[in-house]
Protein backbone atom coordinates (compact mmCIF):
# COMPACT_ATOMS: atom_id res chain seq x y z
CA UNK A 1 0.00 0.00 0.00
CA UNK A 2 2.85 2.39 0.84
CA UNK A 3 4.53 1.71 -2.49
CA UNK A 4 1.34 2.63 -4.33
CA UNK A 5 1.14 5.93 -2.52
CA UNK A 6 4.75 6.72 -3.38
CA UNK A 7 4.04 6.00 -7.05
CA UNK A 8 1.38 8.73 -7.25
CA UNK A 9 2.90 11.78 -9.01
CA UNK A 10 3.04 15.04 -7.11
CA UNK A 11 0.10 17.22 -8.04
CA UNK A 12 1.13 20.20 -10.12
CA UNK A 13 -2.14 22.04 -9.67
CA UNK A 14 -1.57 24.20 -12.77
CA UNK A 15 -0.80 23.42 -16.39
CA UNK A 16 0.14 26.17 -18.87
CA UNK A 17 -1.76 25.64 -22.13
CA UNK A 18 -0.85 28.60 -24.36
CA UNK A 19 1.83 29.53 -25.13
CA UNK A 20 3.22 25.99 -24.89
CA UNK A 21 5.28 25.46 -21.71
CA UNK A 22 9.01 24.78 -21.65
CA UNK A 23 8.29 21.60 -19.73
CA UNK A 24 4.99 20.15 -20.97
CA UNK A 25 2.61 19.06 -18.24
CA UNK A 26 -1.00 17.99 -17.98
CA UNK A 27 -1.22 19.64 -14.59
CA UNK A 28 -0.42 16.46 -12.70
CA UNK A 29 3.35 16.43 -13.08
CA UNK A 30 5.63 18.11 -10.61
CA UNK A 31 6.14 21.79 -11.39
CA UNK A 32 6.81 23.09 -7.92
CA UNK A 33 10.44 23.89 -8.66
CA UNK A 34 11.79 27.44 -8.95
CA UNK A 35 11.81 29.20 -11.43
CA UNK A 36 10.22 27.22 -14.28
CA UNK A 37 8.74 24.12 -12.68
CA UNK A 38 11.31 21.43 -13.33
CA UNK A 39 13.61 19.88 -10.77
CA UNK A 40 13.12 18.27 -7.37
CA UNK A 41 9.73 19.02 -5.88
CA UNK A 42 9.85 22.02 -3.54
CA UNK A 43 13.02 23.36 -5.15
CA UNK A 44 12.94 26.65 -3.35
CA UNK A 45 13.90 30.02 -4.76
CA UNK A 46 15.70 30.83 -1.52
CA UNK A 47 18.57 28.73 -2.82
CA UNK A 48 20.57 30.96 -5.17
CA UNK A 49 21.42 27.98 -7.37
CA UNK A 50 17.73 27.48 -8.12
CA UNK A 51 16.82 31.02 -9.15
CA UNK A 52 17.80 30.58 -12.82
CA UNK A 53 16.96 27.98 -15.46
CA UNK A 54 19.46 27.98 -18.37
CA UNK A 55 17.45 25.51 -20.47
CA UNK A 56 15.61 26.45 -23.63
CA UNK A 57 13.02 24.29 -25.37
CA UNK A 58 12.69 23.82 -29.11
CA UNK A 59 9.13 25.15 -28.93
CA UNK A 60 9.43 28.92 -29.21
CA UNK A 61 6.34 31.05 -29.75
CA UNK A 62 6.90 34.27 -31.68
CA UNK A 63 4.94 37.45 -31.02
CA UNK A 64 5.11 41.05 -32.15
CA UNK A 65 6.94 43.30 -29.70
CA UNK A 66 4.32 45.25 -27.76
CA UNK A 67 1.56 42.82 -28.73
CA UNK A 68 -1.36 42.09 -26.39
CA UNK A 69 -1.82 38.33 -26.04
CA UNK A 70 -3.95 35.79 -24.17
CA UNK A 71 -2.21 33.33 -21.88
CA UNK A 72 -4.28 30.29 -20.91
CA UNK A 73 -3.80 27.67 -18.19
CA UNK A 74 -5.73 24.91 -16.39
CA UNK A 75 -6.09 25.00 -12.61
CA UNK A 76 -6.25 21.26 -12.03
CA UNK A 77 -6.62 21.47 -8.25
CA UNK A 78 -7.99 24.59 -6.67
CA UNK A 79 -6.17 26.73 -4.14
CA UNK A 80 -6.65 30.35 -3.22
CA UNK A 81 -3.93 32.94 -3.63
CA UNK A 82 -2.59 34.86 -6.64
CA UNK A 83 -1.88 34.38 -10.34
CA UNK A 84 1.23 36.14 -11.60
CA UNK A 85 2.71 36.45 -15.08
CA UNK A 86 6.19 37.90 -15.53
CA UNK A 87 8.75 38.39 -18.30
CA UNK A 88 12.51 37.93 -18.66
CA UNK A 89 14.02 39.66 -21.73
CA UNK A 90 17.01 37.30 -21.80
CA UNK A 91 16.85 33.85 -20.23
CA UNK A 92 14.85 32.72 -17.22
CA UNK A 93 16.05 34.28 -14.00
CA UNK A 94 13.77 34.91 -11.03
CA UNK A 95 15.24 38.36 -10.34
CA UNK A 96 14.46 39.43 -13.91
CA UNK A 97 10.94 38.00 -13.64
CA UNK A 98 10.41 39.99 -10.43
CA UNK A 99 11.51 43.16 -12.26
CA UNK A 100 9.09 42.64 -15.15
CA UNK A 101 5.68 41.64 -13.76
CA UNK A 102 2.97 41.86 -16.41
CA UNK A 103 -0.03 40.64 -14.40
CA UNK A 104 -0.87 39.88 -10.76
CA UNK A 105 -4.50 38.97 -9.97
CA UNK A 106 -6.63 37.13 -7.45
CA UNK A 107 -7.00 33.33 -7.55
CA UNK A 108 -10.14 32.59 -5.53
CA UNK A 109 -10.83 29.24 -3.79
CA UNK A 110 -11.79 26.32 -6.03
CA UNK A 111 -10.58 25.34 -9.45
CA UNK A 112 -13.23 27.00 -11.61
CA UNK A 113 -11.58 29.12 -14.27
CA UNK A 114 -12.61 32.58 -15.43
CA UNK A 115 -13.84 31.52 -18.87
CA UNK A 116 -16.91 29.53 -17.93
CA UNK A 117 -15.22 26.48 -19.40
CA UNK A 118 -14.29 24.21 -16.49
CA UNK A 119 -10.87 24.91 -14.97
CA UNK A 120 -9.62 27.03 -17.88
CA UNK A 121 -8.19 30.44 -17.07
CA UNK A 122 -7.35 33.13 -19.61
CA UNK A 123 -5.12 36.10 -18.86
CA UNK A 124 -4.65 39.16 -21.07
CA UNK A 125 -1.15 40.69 -20.99
CA UNK A 126 0.73 43.22 -23.08
CA UNK A 127 4.27 42.19 -23.96
CA UNK A 128 7.18 44.65 -23.76
CA UNK A 129 7.73 46.69 -26.90
CA UNK A 130 11.33 45.51 -27.27
CA UNK A 131 12.42 42.77 -29.70
CA UNK A 132 14.18 39.74 -28.17
CA UNK A 133 15.15 36.23 -29.24
CA UNK A 134 15.84 34.56 -25.89
CA UNK A 135 12.95 35.84 -23.77
CA UNK A 136 10.67 33.92 -21.44
CA UNK A 137 7.20 34.19 -19.91
CA UNK A 138 6.69 32.85 -16.40
CA UNK A 139 3.32 31.85 -14.90
CA UNK A 140 3.02 31.47 -11.13
CA UNK A 141 0.21 30.11 -9.01
CA UNK A 142 0.98 31.31 -5.51
CA UNK A 143 -1.28 29.26 -3.24
CA UNK A 144 -0.80 30.96 0.13
CA UNK A 145 -4.47 31.80 0.66
CA UNK A 146 -3.81 35.54 0.33
CA UNK A 147 -5.95 36.76 -2.56
CA UNK A 148 -5.40 40.46 -1.82
CA UNK A 149 -1.69 41.29 -1.78
CA UNK A 150 0.36 41.20 -5.02
CA UNK A 151 3.43 38.98 -5.14
CA UNK A 152 6.64 40.97 -5.82
CA UNK A 153 8.75 37.85 -5.12
CA UNK A 154 7.53 34.26 -4.66
CA UNK A 155 10.54 33.31 -2.54
CA UNK A 156 9.31 31.58 0.61
CA UNK A 157 5.80 31.14 -0.78
CA UNK A 158 4.14 27.82 -1.67
CA UNK A 159 4.16 28.24 -5.44
CA UNK A 160 3.73 26.36 -8.72
CA UNK A 161 5.81 27.46 -11.71
CA UNK A 162 5.53 27.29 -15.49
CA UNK A 163 7.63 28.96 -18.20
CA UNK A 164 7.14 29.46 -21.94
CA UNK A 165 9.95 30.21 -24.37
CA UNK A 166 9.06 33.11 -26.66
CA UNK A 167 10.58 35.59 -29.10
CA UNK A 168 9.49 39.14 -29.85
CA UNK A 169 10.01 40.65 -33.29
CA UNK A 170 9.95 44.28 -34.30
CA UNK A 171 7.87 45.99 -36.97
CA UNK A 172 8.33 44.07 -40.22
CA UNK A 173 6.64 46.68 -42.41
CA UNK A 174 8.90 47.44 -45.39
CA UNK A 175 10.31 50.93 -45.46
CA UNK A 176 10.98 52.65 -48.81
CA UNK A 177 14.32 54.39 -48.51
CA UNK A 178 14.49 55.57 -52.14
CA UNK A 179 14.59 59.22 -53.04
CA UNK A 180 11.24 60.86 -53.44
CA UNK A 181 10.63 62.03 -56.99
CA UNK A 182 9.45 65.52 -57.72
CA UNK A 183 5.83 66.02 -58.49
CA UNK A 184 5.16 66.77 -62.15
CA UNK A 185 3.13 69.83 -63.18
CA UNK A 186 0.09 69.69 -65.41
CA UNK A 187 0.16 71.96 -68.41
CA UNK A 188 -3.39 71.61 -69.63
CA UNK A 189 -5.24 74.24 -71.57
CA UNK A 190 -5.57 77.66 -69.98
CA UNK A 191 -7.23 80.89 -71.06
CA UNK A 192 -5.21 83.01 -73.45
CA UNK A 193 -3.55 86.19 -72.37
CA UNK A 194 -5.36 89.45 -72.96
CA UNK A 195 -5.09 90.54 -76.58
CA UNK A 196 -3.64 93.86 -77.66
CA UNK A 197 -5.69 96.46 -79.47
CA UNK A 198 -4.62 97.74 -82.87
CA UNK A 199 -6.34 100.40 -84.98
CA UNK A 200 -8.68 99.17 -87.69
CA UNK A 201 -7.72 99.56 -91.32
CA UNK A 202 -9.12 102.17 -93.75
CA UNK A 203 -11.10 99.65 -95.69
CA UNK A 204 -14.81 99.76 -95.47
CA UNK A 205 -15.23 96.02 -95.46
CA UNK A 206 -16.14 95.97 -91.78
CA UNK A 207 -13.09 94.01 -90.76
CA UNK A 208 -11.26 96.73 -88.96
CA UNK A 209 -11.20 97.16 -85.23
CA UNK A 210 -9.55 95.44 -82.37
CA UNK A 211 -8.23 91.94 -82.84
CA UNK A 212 -7.29 89.76 -79.83
CA UNK A 213 -3.85 88.27 -80.12
CA UNK A 214 -4.20 85.86 -77.19
CA UNK A 215 -2.35 82.54 -76.95
CA UNK A 216 -5.35 80.31 -76.29
CA UNK A 217 -5.09 77.36 -78.73
CA UNK A 218 -8.73 77.95 -79.70
CA UNK A 219 -8.00 81.53 -80.69
CA UNK A 220 -7.24 81.75 -84.43
CA UNK A 221 -6.38 85.43 -84.29
CA UNK A 222 -9.10 86.26 -86.86
CA UNK A 223 -12.01 87.04 -84.65
CA UNK A 224 -15.33 87.73 -86.34
CA UNK A 225 -15.90 91.47 -87.03
CA UNK A 226 -17.92 93.23 -84.40
CA UNK A 227 -18.60 96.38 -86.51
CA UNK A 228 -16.48 99.04 -88.07
CA UNK A 229 -14.16 101.05 -85.92
CA UNK A 230 -12.74 102.87 -88.96
CA UNK A 231 -11.75 106.55 -89.33
CA UNK A 232 -12.84 108.33 -92.55
CA UNK A 233 -10.54 110.65 -94.47
CA UNK A 234 -12.55 113.71 -95.70
CA UNK A 235 -11.54 114.96 -99.16
CA UNK A 236 -9.94 118.37 -99.26
CA UNK A 237 -8.64 118.33 -95.82
CA UNK A 238 -10.60 120.23 -93.20
CA UNK A 239 -13.06 121.70 -95.67
CA UNK A 240 -13.71 118.34 -97.10
CA UNK A 241 -14.64 117.30 -93.62
CA UNK A 242 -17.14 120.16 -93.39
CA UNK A 243 -18.70 119.13 -96.67
CA UNK A 244 -19.13 115.69 -95.32
CA UNK A 245 -21.32 117.06 -92.57
CA UNK A 246 -23.41 119.41 -94.88
CA UNK A 247 -21.70 122.66 -93.83
CA UNK A 248 -19.96 123.44 -97.05
CA UNK A 249 -22.81 125.53 -98.56
CA UNK A 250 -22.76 127.83 -95.55
CA UNK A 251 -19.09 128.40 -95.88
CA UNK A 252 -19.37 129.24 -99.56
CA UNK A 253 -22.06 131.90 -98.93
CA UNK A 254 -19.92 133.67 -96.39
CA UNK A 255 -16.92 133.67 -98.57
CA UNK A 256 -18.97 135.06 -101.52
Amino acid sequence: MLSLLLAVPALAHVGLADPPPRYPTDGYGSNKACPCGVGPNDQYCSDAANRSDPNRSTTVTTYQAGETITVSAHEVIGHSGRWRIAFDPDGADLDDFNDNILLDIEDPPGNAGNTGSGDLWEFTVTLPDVPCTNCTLQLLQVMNGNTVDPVPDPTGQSTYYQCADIALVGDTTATDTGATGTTGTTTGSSPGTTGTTSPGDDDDDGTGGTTPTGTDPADTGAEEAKGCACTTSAPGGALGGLALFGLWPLVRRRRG
Side-chain angles (χ1 to χ4, degrees):
M1 182 66 175
L2 180 60
S3 62
L4 290 176
L5 291 175
L6 293 176
V8 176
L11 295 176
H13 297 232
V14 61
L16 182 61
D18 189 46
R22 176 178 295 186
Y23 306 115
T25 177
D26 58 3
Y28 287 96
S30 176
N31 62 354
K32 202 176 181 182
C34 182
C36 288
V38 118
N41 204 31
D42 294 330
Q43 177 176 293
Y44 297 116
C45 295
S46 54
D47 184 344
N50 298 334
R51 295 178 72 86
S52 295
D53 182 356
N55 294 332
R56 186 86 172 164
S57 73
T58 57
T59 303
V60 177
T61 306
T62 301
Y63 298 104
Q64 190 80 21
E67 181 179 351
T68 297
I69 67 170
T70 298
V71 177
S72 59
H74 294 278
E75 186 176 9
V76 177
I77 295 180
H79 283 286
S80 60
R82 303 288 293 182
W83 290 108
R84 194 188 89 166
I85 296 177
F87 174 82
D88 187 337
D90 187 14
D93 182 84
L94 184 63
D95 292 329
D96 290 334
F97 288 132
N98 291 341
D99 289 339
N100 297 280
I101 298 172
L102 306 180
L103 178 85
D104 194 331
I105 64 171
E106 174 188 3
D107 178 16
N111 69 331
N114 65 349
T115 63
S117 180
D119 62 3
L120 180 65
W121 282 80
E122 290 185 345
F123 313 99
T124 300
V125 296
T126 299
L127 300 170
D129 194 11
V130 179
C132 58
T133 58
N134 189 42
C135 33
T136 310
L137 275 183
Q138 181 198 55
L139 171 68
L140 301 183
Q141 182 195 31
V142 181
M143 46 182 184
N144 58 6
N146 182 351
T147 63
V148 176
D149 298 321
V151 181
D153 188 338
T155 301
Q157 307 283 347
S158 182
T159 305
Y160 286 86
Y161 304 85
Q162 290 273 267
C163 286
D165 297 306
I166 66 171
L168 304 183
V169 296
D171 187 359
T172 57
T173 303
T175 301
D176 183 6
T177 58
T180 303
T182 57
T183 303
T185 57
T186 303
T187 57
S189 62
S190 60
T193 57
T194 304
T196 58
T197 302
S198 60
D201 58 28
D202 291 338
D203 297 335
D204 58 355
D205 56 3
T207 59
T210 59
T211 302
T213 57
T215 57
D216 191 316
D219 181 8
T220 61
E223 197 174 70
E224 186 177 5
K226 304 300 182 181
C228 181
C230 309
T231 59
T232 303
S233 298
L239 294 179
L242 293 174
L244 181 65
F245 290 97
L247 301 178
W248 178 244
L250 297 176
V251 173
R252 290 182 61 185
R253 274 200 299 268
R254 279 201 177 187
R255 293 174 66 182

